[in-house]
């Protein structure tokens, strides 16, 4: 049995679908009230922050996959305190492996959210030598999320001297499930971390051009949004301009490109 924490989220729901497509038994931890679905996925109600439901969720589970998130400064404790509670429950239930979805070079940026993710990685790696961290570049959705609201005012912020290597969530899910099942990772192999990135590295300006073009072609807007150069200040800006968000050597070469993802939307 696999437990997917954050299995109702953007990445987590793709991971659940990938496990189901490979014939695996899946349980999802959620704070919500969900009923089992026709695909056999079951749900346990619980909360990483309070620890409620974690014993029930991890019972008879051999592998836990964590794709939970706390995006705001208020909810970031899910990543740290939540990981601590989850690791304790895994230990008590005898879970063999926990796999964490993380971000490339997250330990090289002092942004608060990145610091919390780095601490979450540390908690996973030290809890059990069999655990694995999968570090990914930004999802295609990350750019969509950044642009959907300002584009209504016909403005697209474009970070100067910044490129992205966006990745499709189906490619992320496949890599996470492969890592969960791989015998060449974790205890004994000396490898507790893998890194994946999207198939192409494009400037943010080019990605914005593709995004606007697709929106116009799909009739979502008649007007072309104006790209506005933005110099991102601080440590996160320096991280991006240094290309620390890119992993050219670990690209998913046959993965879904940003352009393909846009045309499917
Ligand atoms: N965005 C990117 O470009 C990117 C790139 C690389 C890695 N990542 C990582 O991918 C992960 C998933 O991100 P996402 O955007 O897919 O997340 P998301 O859609 O925001 O989903 C968050 C999930 O976390 C769960 N959750 C939140 N608080 C919880 C709590 N207290 N107890 C239990 N579950 C809780 C939610 O479950 P319920 O609401 O059902 O309880 C939900 O399923 C994150 O860790 C992120 O750092 C993101």
């Amino acid at each position: 049995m696999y437990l997917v924490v954050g299995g109702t989220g953007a990445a987590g729901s793709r991971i659940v679908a990938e496990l189901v497509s490979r014939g695996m038994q899946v349980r999802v931890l959620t704070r919500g009230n969900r009923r089992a679905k026709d695909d056999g996925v079951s749900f346990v109600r619980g909360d990483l922050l309070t620890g409620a439901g974690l014993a029930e969720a991890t019972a008879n589970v051999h592998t836990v996959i964590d794709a939970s998130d706390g995006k705001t400064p208020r909810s970031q404790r899910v990543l740290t305190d939540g990981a601590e509670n989850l690791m304790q429950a895994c230990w008590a239930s005898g879970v063999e492996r926990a796999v964490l979805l993380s971000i490339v070079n997250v330990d090289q940026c002092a942004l608060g959210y990145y610091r919390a993710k780095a601490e979450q990685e540390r908690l996973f790696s030290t809890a059990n030598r069999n655990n694995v961290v999968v570090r990914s570049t930004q999802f295609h959705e990350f750019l969509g999320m950044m642009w959907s609201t300002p584009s209504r005012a016909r403005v697209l912020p474009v970070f100067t001297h910044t490129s992205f290597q966006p990745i499709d969530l189906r490619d992320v899910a496949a890599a996470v499930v492969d890592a969960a099942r791989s015998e060449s990772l974790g205890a004994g192999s000396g490898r507790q971390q893998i890194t994946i990135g999207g198939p192409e590295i494009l400037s943010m300006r080019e990605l914005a051009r593709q995004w606007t073009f697709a929106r116009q072609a799909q009739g979502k807007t008649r007007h072309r949004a104006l790209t506005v150069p933005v110099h991102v200040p601080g440590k996160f800006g320096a991280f991006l301009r240094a290309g620390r968000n890119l992993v050219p050597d670990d690209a998913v070469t046959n993965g879904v490109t940003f352009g393909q993802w846009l045309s499917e939307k």
Side-chain angles (χ1 to χ4, degrees):
M1 169 76 78
Y2 286 82
L3 171 70
V4 184
V5 177
T8 57
S13 56
R14 293 289 188 170
I15 292 167
V16 170
E18 180 70 23
L19 286 165
V20 169
S21 76
R22 296 195 201 187
M24 304 299 145
Q25 267 194 299
V26 187
R27 187 185 286 161
V28 168
L29 178 85
T30 173
R31 292 163 299 172
N33 200 3
R34 300 231 186 176
R35 294 233 173 94
K37 295 195 286 182
D38 294 345
D39 58 11
V41 175
S42 59
F43 294 87
V44 168
R45 199 166 184 186
D47 191 324
L48 285 168
L49 277 177
T50 62
L54 292 186
E56 189 194 338
T58 53
N60 303 315
V61 162
H62 55 76
T63 307
V64 168
I65 297 176
D66 187 355
S68 64
D69 206 1
K71 290 184 170 57
T72 63
R74 275 191 65 179
S75 61
Q76 263 164 34
R77 273 196 321 118
V78 171
L79 306 173
T80 51
D81 297 356
E84 228 170 313
N85 289 337
L86 182 61
M87 292 301 97
Q88 262 175 31
C90 286
W91 179 79
S93 297
V95 170
E96 289 162 30
R97 168 176 285 177
V99 179
L100 172 66
L101 177 57
S102 192
I103 306 171
V104 298
N105 290 326
V106 78
D107 53 343
Q108 295 181 32
C109 181
L111 188 75
Y113 176 77
Y114 273 40
R115 281 213 306 266
K117 285 293 294 182
E119 173 61 6
Q120 186 190 31
E121 284 191 347
R122 193 191 64 75
L123 290 163
F124 268 70
S125 305
T126 53
N128 177 347
R129 283 192 320 126
N130 212 22
N131 289 353
V132 178
V133 173
V134 178
R135 286 179 156 188
S136 165
T137 54
Q138 279 65 45
F139 308 153
H140 293 319
E141 282 78 359
F142 174 84
L143 294 156
M145 201 175 69
M146 203 154 37
W147 285 329
S148 61
T149 304
S151 71
R152 284 190 214 130
R154 293 192 218 162
V155 173
L156 281 194
V158 170
F159 304 164
T160 51
H161 306 293
T162 297
S163 295
F164 284 96
Q165 188 179 349
I167 188 166
D168 192 89
L169 282 174
R170 287 161 291 189
D171 295 321
V172 173
V176 167
V177 173
D178 285 348
R181 293 165 60 79
S182 171
E183 285 170 13
S184 61
L185 292 170
S189 73
R191 281 182 72 212
Q192 272 196 303
Q193 187 179 291
I194 63 161
T195 303
I196 50 164
E200 51 187 14
I201 295 176
L202 296 171
S203 69
M204 200 172 177
R205 176 173 291 278
E206 169 57 20
L207 291 161
R209 191 194 65 74
Q210 289 188 15
W211 198 80
T212 320
F213 184 77
R215 304 264 302 179
Q216 274 186 317
Q218 290 160 359
K220 290 189 177 136
T221 177
R222 280 188 296 123
H223 308 283
R224 187 171 286 257
L226 185 71
T227 55
V228 179
V230 174
H231 177 85
V232 183
K235 288 164 181 149
F236 189 55
F239 176 86
L240 291 175
R241 286 186 292 279
R244 310 299 304 173
N245 57 326
L246 310 173
V247 286
D249 296 338
D250 296 311
V252 178
T253 43
N254 292 324
V256 179
T257 65
F258 188 65
Q260 288 164 340
W261 174 76
L262 282 171
S263 64
E264 282 176 14
K265 263 166 75 71

